Every structure is written in structure tokens, then in C-alpha cells.
Amino acid sequence: MQEYVAVIGDEAVISMTVHEGASVVRLRGDLGEDSAPGLAQAFAAAVTQGASRTVVDLSQAEFADSSVLHALLDARKAHKAAGVALVLAGPLQVAIRRLFEVTGTATAFHMTDSLESALTC
């Protein structure tokens, strides 16, 4: 089992672990362009775990810009190609929900209201 943590500044904002047979990528804090490479690495690690799904826990993400959205869209494509489900879990902060609404990408992802529901859907 591979675990991944990206530390940006003084705060660990991206981590990837395996929980209940799923790869779980947790995002915390303000995520911007400097977070995107670490996010891409976490998604790449998640795909190689052999789990049938990856859950992206966005419940502690306070802000994300278009580079993070791009990383999520790339992850969606890579997961689909590998036959691994990608599920986004909330609850979403207002700024995160707005990113999906303004860009019209909310329907591109399977989203749930909690990590628990994402692990079982």
C-alpha cells in the first residue's frame, strides 16, 4: 500500500491513503497552482493502488483554482481509462461548490455529500 502526502508551506494539504478498500485523496486548505503537481501525484498513486474507486475528500478544502479543477479533470480521464471510479465527497465549501457551478463541470463528476457515502456508493 502506497501513501502520499504533499506538504505546501506549513500545512499538509494533500494526502492519499487507502481506507475501506478505496483510495482516499484528502484536500485541505487553499489549493492553487502550487498544489496542482502534488495533486496530480496523489491521483497517479491512487490509480496504481488496485482499488475499484478513488474518493476525493473535498470537505476541508476552502478554495481551489482552475489548476486544481484541471487536475481533477485529468484524474477523471485517467481513472476512467484504468476502470477505476472517481467520486468527489463533500460537504463542499461555498468557494469549491462555486468553482464547479461557474465552470459547468459539476455534472462531469460523481459527487456525494460525505466521505462515508462516497465509500459505499
Side-chain angles (χ1 to χ4, degrees):
M1 173 177 72
Q2 184 176 3
E3 193 167 309
Y4 175 84
V5 177
V7 178
I8 300 170
D10 295 332
E11 182 181 352
V13 295
I14 302 167
S15 65
M16 193 286 300
T17 58
V18 175
H19 180 72
E20 296 183 15
S23 297
V24 178
V25 177
R26 288 186 171 90
L27 309 181
R28 184 178 62 191
D30 290 341
L31 301 152
E33 187 176 348
D34 56 344
S35 306
L39 187 53
Q41 288 180 320
F43 287 136
V47 167
T48 65
Q49 291 303 306
S52 62
R53 86 179 54 225
T54 296
V55 175
V56 183
D57 181 359
L58 294 167
S59 63
Q60 294 181 14
E62 297 169 12
F63 172 82
D65 68 9
S66 62
S67 63
V68 174
L69 178 59
H70 184 74
L72 285 166
L73 291 166
D74 285 347
R76 180 180 158 266
K77 183 178 179 181
H79 277 71
K80 185 175 182 176
V84 178
L86 181 68
V87 181
L88 307 186
L92 301 179
Q93 301 291 328
V94 172
I96 302 298
R97 185 174 41 247
R98 184 137 172 78
L99 175 67
F100 291 110
E101 289 170 356
V102 167
T103 59
T105 56
T107 59
F109 296 98
H110 181 181
M111 294 188 188
T112 65
D113 292 333
S114 69
L115 178 61
E116 293 76 23
S117 62
L119 289 169
T120 59
C121 68

